Amino acid sequence: ITTFSVRVALAVILSLLPPFLFLARAAVSVTDPVGDSYDAASFTDFVRLEAVETVTNITFKLDFVDLSRGLNGTLLVDTDGYRQSHGSELTYITEARIEFTVVFLGICWAQFNDSNGNGHGLFCWVNGNSFFVDVPLALLPESLENVEVAGLASFDFLCEGRDRIPDEGYLRLSSGVVHIDSEGLILTPLSLLSDPAGDSSSPTDLKGF
């Protein structure tokens, strides 16, 4: 075996590897229970969400139980980590969204939309039951310390077969920790009503509201 043939073989092997493996700097992930999508629809059932940071991009990898029928999905991107609102204004769920569609034969489309309504086309691809999308770091804050994401998927715009990953909260890209939406909230009761114990049979005996 010559040195030249070894170099050629190595080049071929490297060319077959997924692009997001090169120059990877950090990776975080969260899993989701199988069978928890609405009506237990396997075609929109999340299994795992992974984010891999490289020098120029963040590649999101979304694993599903079955991606063969396609779906509509959104990655909610909270860019400031302000979990009380997950957005800069009350009209926004998050500061940004990555909207994507997967159809038959692995054809996909994805777009990054910021809170000002500006859209940026993204490169995406499908491999088996996994959907990948590259998001340039230039579209995100200079520091990813407070950036958090959550995924939504459904058959159609009526949200049939819907699923969410994680089931509650957002995944922080800098640490891999899932923060629950209500974390840090101080809830002030609007009213308080008490009820005597024993005035109704169990288990419908209310004590307070």
Side-chain angles (χ1 to χ4, degrees):
I1 300 176
T2 65
T3 302
F4 176 76
S5 61
V6 171
R7 289 178 178 176
V8 171
L10 181 59
V12 171
I13 293 173
L14 292 176
S15 68
L16 296 176
L17 294 176
F20 74 92
L21 291 181
F22 295 99
L23 304 176
R25 298 167 58 185
V28 295
S29 64
V30 61
T31 58
D32 188 65
V34 172
D36 69 335
S37 61
Y38 186 73
D39 283 341
S42 61
F43 301 107
T44 53
D45 196 358
F46 282 114
V47 175
R48 189 167 183 262
L49 162 61
E50 181 181 17
V52 179
E53 180 188 355
T54 68
V55 173
T56 58
N57 299 309
I58 287 186
T59 298
F60 292 100
K61 177 176 180 277
L62 295 167
D63 297 329
F64 295 88
V65 173
D66 187 349
L67 199 53
S68 62
R69 286 182 54 182
L71 52 79
N72 295 302
T74 301
L75 278 173
L76 304 176
V77 186
D78 183 356
T79 57
D80 62 8
Y82 186 64
R83 299 189 300 278
Q84 284 80 354
S85 67
H86 282 295
S88 56
E89 296 181 17
L90 294 178
T91 53
Y92 296 125
I93 300 176
T94 60
E95 287 82 19
R97 302 182 314 280
I98 300 168
E99 298 178 354
F100 59 91
T101 298
V102 178
V103 296
F104 293 108
L105 303 177
I107 299 172
C108 61
W109 167 90
Q111 179 169 294
F112 183 95
N113 298 295
D114 62 27
S115 59
N116 296 317
N118 300 314
H120 307 270
L122 301 175
F123 177 68
C124 64
W125 69 99
V126 174
N127 184 4
N129 292 318
S130 299
F131 168 79
F132 300 80
V133 59
D134 280 340
V135 180
L137 292 176
L139 296 176
L140 299 171
E142 183 175 349
S143 171
L144 299 179
E145 177 65 28
N146 296 317
V147 177
E148 299 182 342
V149 298
L152 305 173
S154 66
F155 284 146
D156 50 37
F157 294 106
L158 298 177
C159 294
E160 294 296 325
R162 60 189 176 275
D163 194 14
R164 188 185 197 278
I165 188 170
D167 286 333
E168 291 185 89
Y170 283 63
L171 173 68
R172 177 158 290 199
L173 298 186
S174 59
S175 64
V177 173
V178 173
H179 288 141
I180 305 302
D181 292 346
S182 60
E183 184 176 343
L185 280 177
I186 300 176
L187 301 177
T188 302
L190 297 178
S191 64
L192 180 64
L193 178 66
S194 60
D195 185 70
D199 64 341
S200 179
S201 59
S202 178
T204 59
D205 188 10
L206 284 174
K207 294 192 294 182
F209 178 75

